[in-house]
Amino acid sequence: MKYFQNMFGKQKSQDTTTSDSESDRTTVVDPYSFPLRTYPQAWFALFLLVLLRTSISVFQFTFSVVPTLTGEMFNVSLTFVNWLANIQGVMYVFMSFFTGWIFQRLGVKKSLLLAGLLSSAGASIRSVGVTLNPPSYIITMIGQILGSSAAPLALNIMTTFAATWFTDNMRATAGMFVASNYGAILGMFMIPNLVTGLDKLPMVVHIVSGISIACFLPLLIMPSKPPTPPSRATTGGSTPSFFTGIRLLAKNYNFWILFLIHGLNVGLSIAFGSIFTQVISPYGYTDAQAGQMNAVAFFAGTLGCSVAGPVLDATKQHKLFLRLIAPMVFITDIGFIFMVQKDSYASILFVLSMNQFFLSFLVPVVIELSSETSYPVHDATTNSIMWQGCQTFGFLFVLAMDLLRDPDGSPKNNMRRALILQAGLAGAMMILSLLFRGRMLRTEAIEKLKQEELNEKEIECNCRNNQDIDLENNSNII
C-alpha cells in the first residue's frame, strides 16, 4: 500500500494491496500502528474548496436576485430570466452522471481544478455577452451553461473530500463547511446593493468573473492528499466498481428513501430561492428587500449546517435528527402560505430564516446517512446521485411553480398556489423521513475493524506473555 510503504518501507504479505489511483481506497486492517489524525493541510484544502464553492454560488445567483433588471437588459420576459437559473439545474443533472466516475479517476485535486477552470471560463464568457451592444442573451447563456458545469464537481465531492482528508469523527463537520452556501449570502447582499440601476448590472457580471478567477488560481497549490490516511477503514480495491455500485444501490430501498428526502428538501430550497423575488414582489417588495431577506435566510441556513456537523459528529444520532428536523421544515413551509402578504417584512424574514435553518440542518444528516446505509459503495457514487436528484427536483419545481403563477389573481401575478404546492411536497418529505429504517453500515464496519485490531493486539500480548513464562520456566529448570 502506497500510504504504508511511505511510512514503513515494506509490507507484510498479509496486507491488502491497493491501486496507485489517488482516489482508490480499500478496507484494510494494518498490523502496524499509525496515527489517525487530521493534518493542518486538511484545513487548508477545505478552505480552498469553500472558496471555490463560494465563487460558484455567486456565479449562480448573479441574475436570479435581480430578475426585473436582467429582463430589461436582455429585453426578455421573466420566463427567459428563469431559464438562466433553470439551465444550471439541467447541467447539474447531466454532469452528475459523470462526477462519480470523474472523482474515482482523477481524485480530489484534479477534479477541483477542473471545476475551477469551468467556472472561470463560464464567467468570462458571460462578461463578453453583457459587454456587447446590445447585450447578448445567447452568449450569456453559453457562459451560464459552461460555468454551471462546475457546480456538481465542487459539491458532489463533499463526502469523498471529507473521507480523503478528515478522521471519522470530523467527517460531518468537514461536510457542513462544504455544504454551507457562503456564496449565496455574499451574492444576496452584494448583487442587489451594487445593481442600483440597469447600467450597473454589467459591472457586477465583471466582478463575478474576477471572483471566479481569483478562487481558481489557489487550487494550483492545493496538496493532493494527506501524508497518512485519516482512517483505517476506507474504500477502494475491494469496494464495488462504479457500475457495480450502481447496481447495488438500485436494490437498496433505504437509500432511495433518502434520495427522495434529499431531493424534496434541497429541490424545494433551490426552486424557492430562484423565484423568491417573484413570490414577494407582487406584494410591493423590491429586489433589494428580497435580496436582504434571502441573505439573512442563507446566513440562517449556514448556521443550521454549522450546528449540524459538530452535533452529528458528537452524538452520531443521524436517524433521530432526521425524524425531528423534517417536520420543522414542513411547518415553516406551511407558514409561508399565510405570511407572504403586504407589509409583512419581519414575518416573512422570520419564517424564511427558520425554514432555511432547519432545511440546511437536514442536509448533512441525510448526506451522511446515505453514505452509511449504502456502504461499501464508494462515497463519490452515492453523493453524486444524491445531489443529482435534488437538482432534478429543483429544476422541475421551478417549472411547476412558474406555471402556478396567477396573472389574474389579487395581487396580480401572485404565487400563492406555488406556496401550497411547496407545503404539500414538504409534507411528503416528512412522511418519508418516518419510513426510513436503514442501518449505519459504515460505522458498523469501522467498529468491526477496531475490534479486530484490538483482538490482534490482545493475541500478540498473550503470545509475548506466554513466551516470557516459558523462558522463565526454562531458566528455573536449568
Side-chain angles (χ1 to χ4, degrees), residues 275-352:
I275 65 168
F276 177 71
T277 302
Q278 299 167 50
V279 169
I280 66 173
S281 60
Y283 298 89
Y285 299 98
T286 65
D287 287 355
Q289 287 177 311
Q292 292 163 6
M293 287 192 214
N294 254 328
V296 173
F298 273 108
F299 177 79
T302 300
L303 181 63
C305 220
S306 300
V307 171
V311 167
L312 291 174
D313 282 333
T315 65
K316 301 298 182 184
Q317 295 297 317
H318 297 68
K319 296 178 187 178
L320 174 62
F321 285 109
L322 176 67
R323 296 185 178 97
L324 288 176
I325 301 300
M328 302 308 296
V329 177
F330 174 52
I331 291 171
T332 52
D333 279 332
I334 291 177
F336 281 125
I337 299 173
F338 303 100
M339 294 299 180
V340 176
Q341 52 186 299
K342 192 175 181 180
D343 298 326
S344 297
Y345 184 96
S347 299
I348 296 172
L349 181 60
F350 174 77
V351 175
L352 183 61

